Amino acid sequence: MADIEKTSPSSKQEERLALLLWFRLSRFYNQSLRRSNAHLKEWGLTVTQFDVLVQIGAHEPLTQNELAEKLFVTKGNVTQVLGKMEQLGWIRREQEWRKKVLTLTSSGREIFREVVPHQEQFQASQFQGLCKEEQKQLLELLRKLQHHNEDMEGKR
Amino acid sequence: MADIEKTSPSSKQEERLALLLWFRLSRFYNQSLRRSNAHLKEWGLTVTQFDVLVQIGAHEPLTQNELAEKLFVTKGNVTQVLGKMEQLGWIRREQEWRKKVLTLTSSGREIFREVVPHQEQFQASQFQGLCKEEQKQLLELLRKLQHHNEDMEGKR
DNA sequence: CCTTATCAGTTTATACCTAAACTGATAAAA
DNA sequence: TTTTATCAGTTTAGGTATAAACTGATAAGG
């Protein structure tokens, strides 16, 4: 990983640090994602589907647009994912006003109740390399990054 | 984001913290990814292609398998991505022994030299919400997570 | 009332990524 | 030798994601 330094010997140290941070972050993220998918396979669902179940389960009823915002993905993506999940009988989409209202079916709720605790436990195991204090530190650093970038977004 | 707490009122605090960490991490990661892609569009390439250029540029010659390991993706994925990049004339694949040796073409090298500094600068701007000290902290936390999870991987 | 804007969701084209099965070649063991 | 294992890369099927163009409905202004 440290070989990134070979990339561009002329660049400033801070810039190299940022590139290194990005590589590490994406490595950890992708590793975790892959593992979570493998873990959730036991219940026949994917991380994306899990995320959708969590959001609808915690906030129903909500619209597709709201869901897209919470998941931080495009509405086009939500359309696709929900199509599949509706077909599987986990969620309902009901036209109401100019929006579509999302709710869990009983089968969706059952999966939600069963899987969430397992996934929470699994996710905890992924972060066990850090003690509780460090986990809070990480959370705080991520929060700062978020805020800063949202501000930048606003200024454009 | 704090609404995750509503998900499962019975779960232990540490487990909820882990789920929260995961949501924040994935949010920041995906946001950064999207922005990087938008930024790199100016030069007509994607983050994945940039990563490939960086790795080949810094380590050539290397094989597809080595590239897959460095990028932490599957070899099937590498096959696909390189197919496109070969077609665009940025890289060369030469059969040698039982492996394929990857090198940059002159056009690939040119892009590499031009884009890397810009992307480094851009990436630095993404982490500007943190001071240098905090950036090092974040790097260290990610390193710890990595190590812990690689150990777990080994034990299976 | 009619026109125009806005808004929720869909579609399309394209790229990324995985797991798992497969191909073809080299190497190792019998 | 013949068989078997291993190894690098490819293929396939399926899921995830985007941007951008589109549809159809409601709302707002003239």
Side-chain angles (χ1 to χ4, degrees):
Chain A
M1 190 70 67
D3 10 309
I4 304 246
E5 288 164 31
K6 291 181 202 153
T7 314
S8 167
S10 61
S11 49
K12 277 183 258 157
Q13 248 191 18
E14 306 88 59
E15 293 176 355
R16 250 184 279 146
L17 182 59
L19 213 51
L20 193 55
L21 263 170
W22 172 252
F23 271 87
R24 263 202 212 285
L25 188 71
S26 88
R27 192 187 178 97
F28 176 71
Y29 176 79
N30 287 307
Q31 194 179 29
S32 284
L33 189 64
R34 216 177 311 168
R35 277 212 262 228
S36 290
N37 268 315
H39 180 248
L40 285 172
K41 205 173 184 180
E42 202 177 325
W43 290 275
L45 39 87
T46 65
V47 168
T48 303
Q49 291 167 348
F50 173 79
D51 288 347
V52 170
L53 285 180
V54 165
Q55 293 300 332
I56 304 184
H59 305 289
E60 79 185 326
L62 80 172
T63 67
Q64 292 194 188
N65 243 353
E66 287 166 345
L67 181 59
E69 264 172 49
K70 284 193 188 300
L71 294 178
F72 219 71
V73 296
T74 59
K75 46 198 184 148
N77 184 13
V78 162
T79 296
Q80 290 176 346
V81 173
L82 290 181
K84 174 80 181 180
M85 291 179 75
E86 191 177 31
Q87 203 183 312
L88 287 166
W90 297 344
I91 58 140
R92 247 187 310 266
R93 280 199 276 196
E94 277 159 323
Q95 190 73 40
E96 189 172 293
W97 260 116
R98 56 156 80 174
K99 15 195 128 183
K100 284 191 177 171
V101 172
L102 304 174
T103 47
L104 294 182
T105 62
S106 58
S107 129
R109 187 166 311 284
E110 201 175 321
I111 296 172
F112 172 75
R113 266 203 278 265
E114 190 185 346
V115 178
V116 167
H118 281 104
Q119 188 60 13
E120 279 183 336
Q121 221 177 324
F122 177 78
Q123 213 50 268
S125 81
Q126 302 253 75
F127 285 99
Q128 251 167 14
L130 305 181
C131 69
K132 203 174 172 184
E133 209 40 59
E134 290 170 323
Q135 289 184 19
K136 281 185 184 165
Q137 235 176 63
L138 179 56
L139 194 63
E140 176 58 15
L141 291 173
L142 290 172
R143 200 191 54 71
K144 275 192 187 174
L145 283 172
Q146 194 73 47
H147 276 214
H148 178 260
N149 287 355
E150 264 158 21
D151 285 355
M152 278 187 15
E153 205 85 17
K155 271 176 206 149
R156 270 196 292 124
Chain B
M1 188 71 66
D3 11 308
I4 303 245
E5 287 163 31
K6 290 182 202 153
T7 315
S8 167
S10 61
S11 50
K12 277 180 258 158
Q13 250 192 16
E14 305 90 59
E15 292 176 355
R16 249 184 282 145
L17 181 58
L19 214 50
L20 193 54
L21 264 170
W22 173 251
F23 271 87
R24 261 200 212 286
L25 189 72
S26 86
R27 191 185 178 97
F28 175 71
Y29 176 79
N30 287 307
Q31 196 179 27
S32 284
L33 189 64
R34 217 176 313 166
R35 277 211 260 227
S36 290
N37 268 315
H39 180 249
L40 285 172
K41 206 176 185 179
E42 201 176 324
W43 290 274
L45 38 87
T46 65
V47 168
T48 303
Q49 291 167 348
F50 173 80
D51 288 347
V52 170
L53 285 180
V54 166
Q55 293 300 332
I56 303 185
H59 304 290
E60 78 185 327
L62 82 172
T63 67
Q64 293 196 188
N65 243 354
E66 288 166 344
L67 180 60
E69 264 172 51
K70 284 193 188 299
L71 293 178
F72 219 73
V73 297
T74 58
K75 48 198 181 147
N77 186 13
V78 162
T79 295
Q80 291 176 346
V81 173
L82 290 181
K84 174 81 179 176
M85 292 179 74
E86 192 177 30
Q87 201 183 314
L88 288 167
W90 298 345
I91 58 141
R92 245 187 311 267
R93 282 199 274 197
E94 278 159 322
Q95 190 72 40
E96 190 173 295
W97 258 121
R98 54 156 81 176
K99 15 194 126 181
K100 284 193 177 170
V101 173
L102 305 174
T103 47
L104 294 183
T105 62
S106 58
S107 128
R109 186 166 311 282
E110 200 177 321
I111 296 172
F112 172 75
R113 268 202 278 264
E114 189 186 347
V115 178
V116 167
H118 280 104
Q119 187 58 13
E120 278 183 338
Q121 222 178 324
F122 177 78
Q123 213 51 268
S125 81
Q126 301 253 75
F127 286 99
Q128 251 167 15
L130 305 180
C131 69
K132 203 174 171 186
E133 209 41 59
E134 289 170 323
Q135 290 185 16
K136 281 186 185 164
Q137 236 176 61
L138 178 55
L139 193 64
E140 176 59 16
L141 292 172
L142 290 172
R143 201 192 54 72
K144 274 193 188 175
L145 283 170
Q146 194 72 48
H147 276 213
H148 179 261
N149 288 355
E150 265 158 20
D151 286 353
M152 277 184 18
E153 206 83 16
K155 273 177 200 146
R156 271 195 288 125

